[in-house]
Amino acid sequence: MLSDTTHMTGGETYIRKGDGSAAKVEGPSLGHCFMLQGGQVEHLAARAFGTAERITTITSYRAAIPGFYDDSYISNVRSYCDLPELYTEWTNYRLERLKQEIEHMQITIIQHIGRDQDSFPLNEVYHFAEQQISYLKRSVRQMVDQTLCAEVRRHFDGQEINAVGEKWARIRLHQQFKDLLPVVMAQTLMWRPVLPYLSDWGETKCMIRSGNASLVYSQQRTFSWDQNRSEEYLFGDELLRQGLKEVLVAWLHRFNLVNLGKDT
């Protein structure tokens, strides 16, 4: 907290609990902070009264342990940042982390051979390779096409982009959307910017059908989609799973689906 909170009323942080209710956390006062896994816990700051400002700063941390899952993402800042600068910093960070992982695996192999020269840790190397492929793919998916982002920013403000999840929840239940969906998806298959995400969508549906949905990474906290669920796993669900809000907005806008979210 960078502001003097002596006479501040409100300004607390609310955290959504597992049962859907909210827990209020008082403070922090000037010069103090909370440790919060903000990327996984839904939270917000209440409006503050009795002070001219409520200025805070956020510092992101990740585990320094090699092999520990890194769930960092940039979708929360992508809608308003300078994208070339953001993508440069993001790529450098991710590649540096990848380099550290590779160096750690090299040491692991050397240590294994030192203990047993007649064997090789093939299973570990396979697992390592799969992890890094997934890591690189997630890294790239976070960098949405700049032209697409610019087009979305011209038509929608940051609040509308961030609220697209709620809009999508209404649209996907709209009867007109269900009628339009076959034609929309046929046209989507010919829209070049979303082709990588269509491939991801197919992979996720395969994981759901095989009962392995829990193994799927999701930026929307733990991914859960029962294979027996009555609702079909749609393309918009896939975009939200990856935190690709700009892409979802662009898709809905391109095929004139945005206004359906206002009618239900």
Side-chain angles (χ1 to χ4, degrees), residues 131-181:
Q131 281 187 318
Q132 304 321 311
I133 290 170
S134 175
Y135 179 81
L136 284 170
K137 184 176 180 179
R138 295 197 312 273
S139 300
V140 172
R141 291 294 189 266
Q142 283 292 301
M143 295 184 286
V144 176
D145 180 79
Q146 294 182 59
T147 302
L148 185 148
C149 286
E151 182 68 17
V152 168
R153 290 181 184 182
R154 276 196 291 270
H155 292 91
F156 303 91
D157 60 30
Q159 186 174 358
E160 290 175 306
I161 295 172
N162 288 327
V164 71
E166 290 79 6
K167 182 179 287 291
W168 167 245
R170 296 191 297 271
I171 291 173
R172 73 185 319 282
L173 297 176
H174 200 290
Q175 183 56 50
Q176 188 177 351
F177 170 72
K178 297 176 182 178
D179 296 337
L180 292 171
L181 187 58

Side-chain angles (χ1 to χ4, degrees), residues 2-251:
L2 303 181
S3 298
D4 184 0
T5 61
T6 303
H7 303 292
M8 182 184 294
T9 302
E12 306 92 346
T13 298
Y14 285 84
I15 300 173
R16 188 183 299 279
K17 299 192 295 185
D19 61 3
S21 62
K24 182 173 72 172
V25 182
E26 300 287 349
S29 57
L30 178 64
H32 292 75
C33 68
F34 288 138
M35 291 293 291
L36 173 68
Q37 198 170 6
Q40 301 297 324
V41 179
E42 189 174 354
H43 63 285
L44 61 81
R47 184 177 179 182
F49 299 92
T51 182
E53 61 183 24
R54 183 188 186 277
I55 302 176
T56 61
T57 184
I58 299 172
T59 301
S60 298
Y61 293 90
R62 65 160 176 83
I65 304 171
F68 200 87
Y69 188 81
D70 179 6
D71 62 354
S72 304
Y73 55 83
I74 55 175
S75 59
N76 56 327
V77 297
R78 195 174 51 220
S79 63
Y80 60 82
C81 279
D82 177 88
L83 293 183
E85 180 180 3
L86 176 64
Y87 289 174
T88 298
E89 293 180 357
W90 171 252
T91 302
N92 286 337
Y93 158 68
R94 300 291 276 191
L95 291 178
E96 182 64 31
R97 177 72 192 274
L98 178 62
K99 182 174 70 173
Q100 294 170 3
E101 294 292 330
I102 292 173
E103 291 173 347
H104 180 260
M105 176 51 64
Q106 289 175 317
I107 294 173
T108 299
I109 293 172
I110 292 172
Q111 291 176 340
H112 180 95
I113 298 300
R115 293 190 301 268
D116 184 359
Q117 295 184 1
D118 296 326
S119 69
F120 180 81
L122 187 58
N123 289 336
E124 288 185 51
V125 173
Y126 270 133
H127 179 64
F128 170 80
E130 290 175 352
Q131 281 187 318
Q132 304 321 311
I133 290 170
S134 175
Y135 179 81
L136 284 170
K137 184 176 180 179
R138 295 197 312 273
S139 300
V140 172
R141 291 294 189 266
Q142 283 292 301
M143 295 184 286
V144 176
D145 180 79
Q146 294 182 59
T147 302
L148 185 148
C149 286
E151 182 68 17
V152 168
R153 290 181 184 182
R154 276 196 291 270
H155 292 91
F156 303 91
D157 60 30
Q159 186 174 358
E160 290 175 306
I161 295 172
N162 288 327
V164 71
E166 290 79 6
K167 182 179 287 291
W168 167 245
R170 296 191 297 271
I171 291 173
R172 73 185 319 282
L173 297 176
H174 200 290
Q175 183 56 50
Q176 188 177 351
F177 170 72
K178 297 176 182 178
D179 296 337
L180 292 171
L181 187 58
V183 174
V184 168
M185 290 313 304
Q187 295 175 345
T188 300
L189 292 173
M190 297 182 287
W191 188 26
R192 187 177 181 84
V194 301
L195 294 183
Y197 313 126
L198 288 169
S199 176
D200 296 341
W201 179 41
E203 292 177 6
T204 302
K205 289 193 292 184
C206 285
M207 294 293 283
I208 293 172
R209 286 195 295 268
S210 64
N212 293 312
S214 61
L215 301 179
V216 178
Y217 160 81
S218 175
Q219 193 176 298
Q220 306 295 310
R221 303 168 187 84
T222 303
F223 182 72
S224 176
W225 198 283
D226 194 317
Q227 59 182 325
N228 298 317
R229 186 170 172 173
S230 59
E231 296 174 315
E232 182 183 357
Y233 184 73
L234 302 177
F235 183 53
D237 300 318
E238 175 65 22
L239 296 178
L240 277 184
R241 178 185 73 80
Q242 297 192 44
L244 301 171
K245 295 180 178 180
E246 296 94 334
V247 182
L248 178 54
V249 170
W251 180 61

